[in-house]
Amino acid sequence: MNCPGCGLTRCFVLASHGQWREAFQSHPPGLFLYFAVVLQIPLRLLQAISPRDSRLERLVKQCLSVPFWGAFGAALACVSMILWLVR
């Protein structure tokens, strides 16, 4: 039985190999999740190396804010559920 996340791992692997069309076809919302995960790497590195109370640290904290990522995750979950029901 298929689930809302079916094709997500395949999507991540294909996107990592630069096969964007195939990644999108395997799990369309997964491509957005892939970019969100990849974006975490430089943001977390900047957070680790930026001096305390600097402008850069405030910018990184805004990018990593919980309300934004919570809403982003909820939206991806809803889209995945809708895609699952349609399929």
Side-chain angles (χ1 to χ4, degrees), residues 10-78:
R10 191 175 318 115
C11 174
F12 271 52
V13 171
L14 290 168
S16 295
H17 289 223
Q19 298 174 350
W20 309 111
R21 180 176 292 140
E22 293 86 354
F24 186 79
Q25 289 172 346
S26 68
H27 196 277
L31 206 50
F32 296 102
L33 183 60
Y34 173 80
F35 287 118
V37 169
V38 169
L39 179 66
Q40 292 296 313
I41 297 168
L43 286 175
R44 298 295 174 171
L45 286 173
L46 283 173
Q47 185 180 28
I49 64 171
S50 65
R52 291 206 171 267
D53 298 327
S54 69
R55 186 188 305 171
L56 178 61
E57 184 188 31
R58 287 190 297 273
L59 177 65
V60 170
K61 280 185 180 181
Q62 286 176 347
C63 290
L64 296 173
S65 71
V66 174
F68 170 76
W69 289 107
F72 182 77
L76 279 179
C78 288

